[in-house]
Amino acid sequence: MSKPSVAELGISVGVKNLAFSRLKFPSIGVFLILMLPFSYFEVQGARPIVLGPVIFIYLVVMLKKYRVNVTMDMTLYLFFIFYVFALSFVSRSNISVSLVIFLVYSLWPVFLSKSELNEDLQFRLIKAYIFSALFCSIGVISQRFIFEFLGLEVGKIDRYGGGRIGFGFVWLDYSYLSLFLVSAVPLLYAIKLSSFWRYSGVLILVIGSLITTARTGIVAMIVILWAYSVYVFLSRLLVNKINIGSVSIVSGSVVIAIFGYFYLLEFSSRDFVASGSGRLEGYLKSLEFVSQNPYFGAMFAPDLYKLTTGVIPHNLFLYITSMGGVFVLLLFLAWLVLFGISALNNSPPIKVALLVVFFGLQFVPSVFSAYFIGGLVSISLFERLRKKYAEY
């Protein structure tokens, strides 16, 4: 038997690599979400978070996966992102890379085929999100332990006035980290777990969020938890289906809120008081800026905006408006309405997680560098596409 030629070997290897890529492509979403803990981590100036989107784009091109699942809300979302990209390109802003990464994180499921949109992969995505959040939370808890008992500073730590010490592990923004951790709490109810492991997961995530000393996450979780529990209670009251389960939801939310404020407060070095931390001043300055630049805002050039106002507004809508103008805000609102209507088809845990993040975004700056939001949006999109195809 003659030996295969170099060309034949090349073709054989190419076919095997293609088959391997086809086998692994649906799992790219799991890899993307598992990279979330390293959203701000740098190795010699390079961020590993870029690796996932690069591999994804490479596979899309190599496998020619150009057929996409088109949805109205995602089409409008694309238009919104591209418009933001155009503004940032004209202003020579440095957010272009963040926009591309955020876009891949939020829209990758549209490239999946009907067979790839299965329940097993959905559960793997949710588990990956929970695992990533738990990894960060355990990292923050360990960081605080090492700081308190060994006197060593490991990872991101900042000291503020009033005795506050922020713990961020490998994240740069404490508010985003606290919000990411609590956004995984509802997802613990989307998978099969024993009560012990579910409640342990909730405890670890909540403690980690508190240790960051950022109030955004814990406040968002408590508010949405209360609102959702009251909604469930009233909806069952209207149909005369009040039972021990509905009562326990309401009472449980109250207990968690009280427990979180008076007991878990011990894990934080910051007082949880109703202070805006200068946010109100930032809101007023952003409104003044928009009144002077209503059409294009700062063209998504944060540095240009800071030169004028000094601080980025800590609110989703004011950020969008001040950065891109009124037209961008209208685009965003149109997408948000369509997305909200579509998200009604999501399961309760995913809907609650989305609401927690949405509420928390009213108190943080920027959005496109918070890749965990894109990851959560992709999980929501994946489930909706899966249910859509399951109906056929």
Side-chain angles (χ1 to χ4, degrees):
M1 181 180 294
S2 60
K3 295 182 179 180
S5 64
V6 174
E8 289 174 332
L9 283 173
I11 293 174
S12 175
V13 171
V15 170
K16 288 181 179 180
N17 287 338
L18 184 61
F20 177 78
S21 298
R22 288 188 182 278
L23 179 66
K24 296 297 181 181
F25 182 78
S27 299
I28 186 64
V30 177
F31 178 73
L32 286 171
I33 292 177
L34 287 176
M35 291 296 292
L36 286 176
F38 308 101
S39 294
Y40 308 102
F41 186 71
E42 291 187 357
V43 179
Q44 295 185 345
R47 290 189 177 182
I49 192 71
V50 178
L51 182 61
V54 169
I55 294 176
F56 170 80
I57 294 172
Y58 170 79
L59 290 177
V60 168
V61 174
M62 291 299 296
L63 300 177
K64 298 181 179 180
K65 293 182 74 70
Y66 303 134
R67 289 189 61 184
V68 297
N69 302 290
V70 179
T71 63
M72 183 63 71
D73 60 315
M74 289 299 107
T75 301
L76 191 58
Y77 174 73
L78 265 178
F79 187 61
F80 164 71
I81 290 292
F82 285 144
Y83 188 79
V84 171
F85 186 87
L87 288 178
S88 65
F89 179 79
V90 172
S91 65
R92 296 182 180 180
S93 172
N94 59 356
I95 71 167
S96 300
V97 175
S98 295
L99 279 174
V100 173
I101 297 175
F102 193 88
L103 186 64
V104 170
Y105 262 88
S106 52
L107 285 186
W108 71 268
V110 302
F111 292 90
L112 298 177
S113 65
K114 179 180 179 179
S115 61
E116 292 168 337
L117 290 162
N118 55 73
E119 195 171 25
D120 177 65
L121 181 55
Q122 178 181 323
F123 287 140
R124 287 168 58 197
L125 292 171
I126 294 174
K127 289 176 181 178
Y129 192 95
I130 294 171
F131 176 83
S132 296
L134 286 172
F135 174 81
C136 289
S137 191
I138 292 173
V140 170
I141 294 171
S142 301
Q143 184 186 27
R144 177 69 183 271
F145 179 87
I146 293 172
F147 178 82
E148 294 289 347
F149 295 97
L150 301 180
L152 300 177
E153 295 189 12
V154 179
K156 173 71 172 177
I157 296 178
D158 285 310
R159 290 174 172 81
Y160 300 93
R164 178 196 173 191
I165 303 176
F167 295 89
F169 188 37
V170 292
W171 281 47
L172 299 180
D173 191 284
Y174 303 112
S175 293
Y176 277 146
L177 178 56
S178 70
L179 190 57
F180 172 49
L181 298 184
V182 298
S183 70
V185 170
L187 298 183
L188 287 166
Y189 295 84
I191 59 177
K192 292 182 179 180
L193 288 172
S194 66
S195 297
F196 173 80
W197 289 113
R198 178 173 289 117
Y199 296 142
S200 296
V202 170
L203 192 63
I204 292 172
L205 292 170
V206 171
I207 291 176
S209 182
L210 284 167
I211 286 178
T212 65
T213 69
R215 296 169 295 187
T216 304
I218 196 67
V219 170
M221 187 190 73
I222 290 176
V223 170
I224 297 302
L225 181 62
W226 272 358
Y228 182 73
S229 63
V230 170
Y231 164 76
V232 171
F233 183 82
L234 292 179
S235 62
R236 293 183 180 180
L237 179 64
L238 291 175
V239 294
N240 295 320
K241 288 188 177 180
I242 295 296
N243 52 34
I244 187 64
S246 56
V247 174
S248 63
I249 290 176
V250 177
S251 59
S253 67
V254 174
V255 170
I256 290 176
I258 296 175
F259 184 68
Y261 187 83
F262 289 105
Y263 182 74
L264 292 182
L265 189 61
E266 296 298 324
F267 291 95
S268 174
S269 60
R270 182 184 188 182
D271 293 331
F272 281 74
V273 295
S275 168
S277 298
R279 287 186 173 91
L280 181 59
E281 181 183 357
Y283 297 162
L284 296 176
K285 286 185 177 181
S286 68
L287 291 173
E288 181 182 356
F289 181 86
V290 171
S291 67
Q292 298 171 353
N293 306 272
Y295 301 111
F296 301 107
M299 300 183 74
F300 282 91
D303 293 337
L304 174 64
Y305 181 84
K306 288 179 181 179
L307 286 176
T308 306
T309 64
V311 60
I312 299 294
H314 285 55
N315 176 272
L316 174 63
F317 298 106
L318 289 177
Y319 171 80
I320 294 294
T321 310
S322 58
M323 287 293 110
V326 176
F327 181 66
V328 168
L329 175 64
L330 293 176
L331 271 179
F332 177 75
L333 290 175
W335 167 75
L336 188 62
V337 170
L338 287 178
F339 178 79
I341 294 173
S342 301
L344 292 175
N345 294 319
N346 283 129
S347 57
I350 294 178
K351 283 190 285 192
V352 173
L354 288 170
L355 286 172
V356 168
V357 169
F358 176 72
F359 187 87
L361 286 176
Q362 309 316 309
F363 309 100
V364 295
S366 185
V367 63
F368 299 116
S369 60
Y371 307 125
F372 73 93
I373 300 175
L376 190 58
V377 168
S378 72
I379 292 175
S380 167
L381 177 61
F382 185 99
E383 183 181 53
R384 286 186 279 122
L385 289 173
R386 181 184 65 79
K387 289 182 177 180
K388 174 184 174 182
Y389 281 117
E391 295 175 355
Y392 297 148

